[in-house]
């Protein structure tokens, strides 16, 4: 399928939001707005999570498609939501399922071009049960000081790299990656920080689920992300329990596109904690929930890992450096979330709209 270069992707959060809302209206969806009142966006624009509902409100089969869990990774997910609304929704038989599109679950991060929310919290680690205390992560505690070093300072950066490489030699690649990526709850100035309590975005997702997903018995979740996988290709992370029917369904829908064994950046899948997927599952205890995260590969492993630390660097050190340094890091970071290449964007749009359609077909038959 051919996609015009600039019709679906957007240069800013505000434009992405407008396109999504226009496409939702055009498709006859019900639109709902959940305003983020704490602060405006980077251009003083209004920030909100926007929700479009189509299809049957009373069906017990629901598809939830989320963009922007990791802020600026949302450019791709937003473009896919808009493209699907414009090109696919109208020609679909949606009498038998409800479709709920959640635009910019982390609007602050989307607007500011970062992964985390306003408090530096990784929303996709925030859905743990904080009443049970914060999960520990001892290995992370040990390497934290290397991960949050000032990467724009050559000496500090090489010292941090040496520390990380010593830890990698001692623990092994997979164990270190697991400790870093699965989430930590003790270092607000660190990477993959899951917070110490439920965030506004987390509470708002609960309101969205309660308002638009009930009644639900069979639910398919697609949470669009970027950064893992081959350039412009989908990388699937199914999160239902491995033995469950929900998992089998997911692999049937997505395997058609060549579900690779989920080894992010070539390593064992981390034991992720506090995923948005976990949150939805907990909010719908009587439903079977299939799906998970779908990533779009951007610039490979090294660049992906650097992006996590650039995100942190902007927050911790950005104001100590000249503006031109910050502008460069911002541009580099944004390009690793959403490459400007038309080849990449066209690949995402053509594969991604097909994946949504296959998920719709699978959900109807489930
Ligand atoms: Zn992500």
């Amino acid at each position: 399928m051919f996609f015009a270069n600039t019709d679906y992707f957007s240069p800013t959060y505000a434009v992405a939001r407008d396109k999504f809302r226009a496409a939702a209206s055009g498709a006859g969806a019900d639109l709902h707005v959940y305003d983020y009142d704490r602060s405006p966006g980077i251009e003083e624009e209004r920030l909100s999570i926007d929700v479009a509902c189509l299809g049957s409100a009373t069906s017990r089969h629901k598809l939830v498609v989320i963009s922007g869990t990791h802020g600026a990774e949302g450019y791709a997910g937003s473009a896919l939501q808009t493209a699907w609304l414009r090109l696919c929704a109208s020609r679909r038989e949606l009498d038998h399922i409800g479709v709920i599109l959640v635009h910019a679950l982390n609007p602050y991060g989307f607007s500011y071009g970062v992964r985390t929310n306003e408090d530096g919290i990784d929303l996709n680690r925030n859905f743990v049960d904080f009443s049970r205390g914060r999960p520990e992560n001892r290995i992370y505690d040990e390497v934290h000081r290397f991960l949050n070093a000032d990467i724009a300072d050559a000496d500090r950066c090489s010292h941090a790299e040496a520390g990380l490489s010593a830890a990698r030699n001692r623990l092994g690649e997979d164990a270190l990656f697991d400790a870093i990526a699965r989430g930590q709850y003790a270092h607000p100035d660190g990477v993959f920080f899951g917070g110490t309590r439920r965030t506004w975005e987390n509470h708002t997702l609960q309101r969205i689920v309660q308002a638009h997903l009930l009644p639900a018995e069979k639910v398919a979740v697609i949470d669009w992300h970027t950064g893992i996988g081959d350039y412009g290709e989908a990388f699937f992370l199914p999160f239902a329990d491995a033995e469950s029917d929900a998992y089998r369904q997911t692999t049937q829908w997505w395997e058609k596109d060549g579900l690779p064994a989920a080894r992010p950046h070539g390593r064992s899948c981390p034991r992720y904690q506090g995923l948005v997927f976990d949150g939805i599952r907990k909010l719908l205890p009587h439903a079977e929930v299939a799906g998970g995260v779908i990533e779009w590969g951007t610039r490979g492993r090294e660049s992906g890992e650097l992006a996590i630390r650039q995100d942190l660097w902007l927050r911790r050190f950005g104001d100590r450096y000249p503006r031109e340094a910050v502008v460069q890091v911002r541009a580099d970071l944004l390009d690793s979330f959403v490459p400007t290449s038309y080849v990449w964007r066209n690949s995402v749009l053509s594969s991604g709209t097909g994946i949504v359609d296959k998920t719709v077909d699978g959900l109807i038959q489930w």
Side-chain angles (χ1 to χ4, degrees):
M1 201 187 294
F2 176 80
F3 294 91
N5 211 334
T6 55
D7 280 358
Y8 304 99
F9 278 85
S10 299
T12 63
Y13 160 81
V15 175
R17 177 176 186 264
D18 286 348
K19 281 184 186 170
F20 172 79
R21 292 180 58 83
S25 299
D30 288 332
L31 266 167
H32 307 270
V33 184
Y34 296 80
D35 276 310
Y36 184 74
D37 291 330
R38 207 168 128 190
S39 52
I42 196 165
E43 298 175 316
E44 298 291 318
E45 78 276 26
R46 172 183 185 178
L47 295 181
S48 59
I49 300 172
D50 293 84
V51 177
C53 301
L54 301 100
S56 163
T58 53
S59 169
R60 292 169 194 274
H61 290 224
K62 307 282 192 201
L63 170 64
V64 189
V65 183
I66 300 170
S67 66
T69 295
H70 280 150
E73 290 181 19
Y75 282 104
S78 168
L80 280 168
Q81 289 173 326
T82 295
W84 190 80
L85 282 166
R86 280 197 214 155
L87 304 171
C88 307
S90 60
R91 56 180 171 75
R92 296 294 322 212
E93 280 291 325
L94 294 176
D95 301 341
H96 305 297
I97 61 166
V99 178
I100 296 94
L101 305 175
V102 181
H103 186 263
L105 185 59
N106 165 12
Y108 179 94
F110 197 149
S111 171
Y112 278 82
V114 294
R115 279 177 90 253
T116 43
N117 78 354
E118 189 165 1
D119 297 312
I121 293 169
D122 185 328
L123 192 56
N124 215 26
R125 302 292 183 275
N126 183 247
F127 288 80
V128 294
D129 182 356
F130 286 105
S131 71
R132 294 182 172 185
R134 290 186 251 159
E136 288 192 350
N137 187 338
R138 295 251 165 81
I139 297 176
Y140 183 88
D141 294 341
E142 287 174 37
V143 294
H144 167 67
R145 68 183 196 281
F146 304 129
L147 290 165
N148 82 344
D150 180 356
I151 50 175
D153 178 303
D155 287 344
R156 292 205 171 95
C157 187
S158 61
H159 177 257
E161 288 315 308
L164 283 173
S165 138
R168 193 173 295 116
N169 291 338
R170 187 164 48 86
L171 299 161
E173 182 78 45
D174 285 351
L176 180 63
F177 181 57
D178 172 60
I180 294 172
R182 86 177 125 134
Q184 54 87 12
Y185 299 83
H187 305 274
D189 58 344
V191 299
F192 297 111
F193 174 57
T196 56
R197 62 177 74 89
R198 295 177 63 198
T199 64
W200 173 85
E201 297 85 355
N202 181 322
H203 283 287
T204 306
L205 184 62
Q206 177 170 2
R207 289 168 58 202
I208 292 167
V209 166
Q210 287 169 347
H212 310 298
L213 256 79
L214 300 175
E217 280 172 9
K218 313 267 191 197
V219 177
V221 175
I222 296 176
D223 186 10
W224 296 119
H225 286 246
T226 61
I228 300 177
D230 294 331
Y231 189 80
E233 302 285 325
F235 184 91
F236 300 93
L237 288 164
F239 287 137
D241 300 328
E243 301 299 320
S244 64
D245 185 37
Y247 184 86
R248 267 190 303 280
Q249 292 290 333
T250 310
T251 54
Q252 276 172 30
W253 310 334
W254 293 353
E255 207 156 35
K256 293 169 198 160
D257 297 276
L259 185 77
R263 289 180 60 80
H265 297 308
R267 286 168 299 204
S268 297
C269 196
R271 292 165 291 163
Y272 293 116
Q273 306 172 99
L275 298 166
V276 166
F277 183 86
D278 298 335
I280 292 174
R281 207 159 44 166
K282 216 171 290 172
L283 290 165
L284 298 170
H286 305 298
E288 291 177 81
V289 183
V293 157
I294 303 177
E295 299 263 354
W296 295 98
T298 59
R299 303 190 317 199
R301 170 170 163 175
E302 205 175 325
S303 186
E305 289 175 359
L306 180 62
I308 307 292
R309 294 165 75 186
Q310 286 175 320
D311 191 69
L312 181 70
W313 182 88
L314 282 171
R315 193 153 36 89
R316 282 202 74 210
F317 301 105
D319 54 4
R320 299 186 203 171
Y321 282 84
R323 200 182 114 72
E324 64 88 15
V326 173
V327 168
Q328 283 187 62
V329 172
R330 256 190 210 293
D332 188 8
L333 182 60
L334 200 57
D335 191 58
S336 70
F337 289 143
V338 52
T340 43
S341 158
Y342 172 58
V343 173
W344 186 86
R345 295 181 176 196
N346 200 29
S347 172
V348 168
L349 289 169
S350 46
S351 313
T353 47
I355 291 167
V356 179
D357 269 344
K358 282 176 186 162
T359 308
V360 167
D361 292 337
L363 182 63
I364 288 172
Q365 286 161 27
W366 187 13

